[in-house]
């Protein structure tokens, strides 16, 4: 059984919360503002099998009363609380939180809009990590079991060495990231709007790779072992990997792309807004081609080599 805790100010908010989070689990416990004396340890005693806590305090000053957990410079004061069974933790808009307690059984962790957190690490069983809108979070360390991670709008993150063994990675709006070599063993990578990612040599064998709006990326010729490749919005790319094993290719907005022959084995291709294309030579064997706003294309030139 999973019980979800949320501190809410009134019944109206309670209805909204129920609609938003009912898909998460088997039950929900609500703590209204006038019930702030109901302590967190008592709730755990009542529901000992709880495995998930959701912290989303709309009013910061009274959350420590409601949960019996105190926000201090070093994070939570859990001295008198037994929280060893927690497997999933979501922290949203905890503006005064500066550190996250080391729950030993934690498997999934989501941290959103926690502006004072600067580092995360030490979770030996953590498998899934999502960090969103944490502007000063710069250090991530000691996550040996991590398999999947999402870093969204975390502009202070630069070092990805903790991600050596991950299977899936999403990096979005991480402007300091330059070295993607630690991701070389991943199975799926999404990199979106990371302007300093320019060398993708280490990603040559990633089965599924999406490079979106990486405005300074130019050379992708090394990506000849990628099966599903997307370079949408990477306008400087003009030469595709050749030879390659690409099955699915998306190159929306590649305004310098002319030669499509490297895509001769692809099954599905999206070349929308590629305004330099004048013919489709090389796509004779393609099963599905998407073209939108390709102003210079003349379909009558769909000719064999």
């Amino acid at each position: 059984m999973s019980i979800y805790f949320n501190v809410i100010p009134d019944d109206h908010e309670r209805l909204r919360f129920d609609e938003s989070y009912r898909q998460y689990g088997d039950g929900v416990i609500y703590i209204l503002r006038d019930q702030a004396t109901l302590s967190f340890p008592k709730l755990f005693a009542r529901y000992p099998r709880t495995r998930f806590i959701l912290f989303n305090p709309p009013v910061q000053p009274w959350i420590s009363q409601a949960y019996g957990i105190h926000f201090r410079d070093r994070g939570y004061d859990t001295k008198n609380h037994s929280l060893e069974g927690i497997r999933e933790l979501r922290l949203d808009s905890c503006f005064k939180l500066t550190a996250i307690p080391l729950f030993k059984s934690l498997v999934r962790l989501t941290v959103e809009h926690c502006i004072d957190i600067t580092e995360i690490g030490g979770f030996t069983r953590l498998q899934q990590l999502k960090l969103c809108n944490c502007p000063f979070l710069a250090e991530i360390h000691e996550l040996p079991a991590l398999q999947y991670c999402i870093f969204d709008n975390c502009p202070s993150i630069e070092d990805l060495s903790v991600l050596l063994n991950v299977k899936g990675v999403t990096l979005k709006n991480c402007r300091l990231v330059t070295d993607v070599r630690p991701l070389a063993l991943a199975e799926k990578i999404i990199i979106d709007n990371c302007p300093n990612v320019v060398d993708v040599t280490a990603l040559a064998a990633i089965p599924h790779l999406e490079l979106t709006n990486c405005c300074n990326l130019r050379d992708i010729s090394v990506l000849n072992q990628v099966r599903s490749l997307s370079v949408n919005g990477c306008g400087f790319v003009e030469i595709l990997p050749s030879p390659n094993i690409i099955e699915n290719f998306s190159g929306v907005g590649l305004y310098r792309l002319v030669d499509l022959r490297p895509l001769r084995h692809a099954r599905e291709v999206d070349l929308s807004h590629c305004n330099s294309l004048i013919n489709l030579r090389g796509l004779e064997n393609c099963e599905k081609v998407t073209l939108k706003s390709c102003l210079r294309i003349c379909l009558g030139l769909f000719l064999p080599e």
Side-chain angles (χ1 to χ4, degrees):
M1 180 177 67
S2 297
I3 302 296
Y4 298 79
F5 297 89
N6 194 60
V7 180
I8 53 181
D10 50 40
D11 286 325
H12 177 74
E13 183 71 11
R14 173 173 178 162
L15 293 175
R16 186 199 64 78
F17 176 83
D18 184 56
E19 183 67 26
S20 300
Y21 291 96
R22 64 173 56 181
Q23 73 272 22
Y24 279 127
D26 309 312
V28 177
I29 292 179
Y30 302 98
I31 306 176
L32 301 181
R33 182 176 299 182
D34 58 2
Q35 297 174 334
T37 56
L38 184 60
S39 71
F40 191 59
K42 289 181 179 179
L43 286 173
F44 257 88
R46 189 182 305 173
Y47 299 95
R49 297 179 60 193
T50 299
R51 290 294 179 269
F52 182 112
I53 312 175
L54 170 64
F55 291 105
N56 187 8
V59 183
Q60 191 71 38
W62 51 275
I63 184 170
S64 61
Q65 285 183 300
Y67 285 138
I69 292 181
H70 305 286
F71 290 86
R72 296 182 175 177
D73 291 341
R74 296 184 178 180
Y76 294 115
D77 177 8
T78 58
K79 181 178 180 180
N80 298 315
H81 305 153
S82 177
L83 304 177
E84 295 300 318
I86 298 303
R87 294 176 56 82
E88 181 164 353
L89 175 63
R90 293 170 61 92
L91 298 168
D92 189 347
S93 304
C94 296
F95 300 118
K96 296 184 179 181
L97 186 64
T98 58
I100 301 174
L102 291 178
F103 297 137
K104 296 180 180 180
S105 298
L106 203 61
V107 175
R108 292 177 293 275
L109 173 62
T110 298
V111 182
E112 301 182 80
H113 305 98
C114 295
I115 58 176
D116 282 344
I117 290 181
T118 59
E119 64 177 335
I120 285 179
F123 299 100
T124 58
R125 299 184 183 180
L126 192 69
Q127 298 179 12
Q128 300 177 26
L129 173 63
K130 179 180 179 181
L131 305 175
C132 182
N133 295 309
C134 298
F136 301 111
L137 197 157
E139 296 185 23
I140 306 171
H141 51 83
E142 297 181 42
L143 300 174
L146 192 64
Q147 297 293 306
Y148 302 96
C149 66
I150 298 174
F151 299 162
D152 184 358
N153 198 26
C154 296
S156 298
I157 292 179
E158 181 177 4
D159 183 7
L160 303 179
S161 58
V162 74
L163 306 181
L164 285 171
N165 298 314
V166 297
K167 295 181 179 179
V169 182
T170 296
L171 303 175
K172 186 175 182 180
N173 300 318
C174 296
R175 295 181 173 273
L176 291 184
V177 172
T178 58
D179 185 3
V180 294
R181 288 177 296 178
L183 309 181
L185 299 179
E187 299 175 1
K188 180 177 181 179
I189 296 175
I190 299 174
I191 299 177
D192 186 354
N193 195 27
C194 297
N196 289 314
V197 174
V198 295
D199 184 357
V200 293
T201 304
L203 308 183
I206 305 298
H208 185 114
L209 179 60
E210 296 182 27
L211 303 168
T212 303
N213 299 318
C214 295
C215 58
N216 294 314
L217 182 64
R218 297 172 182 268
D219 184 8
I220 63 169
S221 60
V222 297
L223 303 178
N224 53 10
Q225 297 298 312
V226 178
R227 293 189 176 274
S228 179
L229 176 62
S230 173
V231 286
N232 295 338
C234 302
F236 285 117
V237 171
E238 55 184 311
I239 299 176
L240 301 179
S242 181
N244 63 66
I245 59 172
I246 296 176
E247 298 177 356
N248 299 288
F249 177 79
S250 182
V252 175
L254 301 187
Y255 58 85
R256 297 187 177 190
L257 183 63
V258 175
D259 186 5
L260 301 179
R261 287 175 296 178
L263 298 176
R264 62 173 60 90
H265 301 301
R267 295 186 294 107
E268 296 188 11
V269 171
D270 187 349
L271 297 169
S272 299
H273 304 282
C274 294
N275 293 330
S276 293
L277 291 177
I278 57 176
N279 61 61
L280 300 178
R281 290 190 182 96
L283 302 184
E284 292 81 4
N285 298 319
C286 192
E287 299 176 6
K288 179 180 179 180
V289 178
T290 300
L291 300 171
K292 296 179 181 179
S293 300
C294 296
L295 302 180
R296 300 180 62 185
I297 280 286
C298 176
L299 295 179
L301 295 178
F302 192 92
L303 303 174
E305 296 184 53

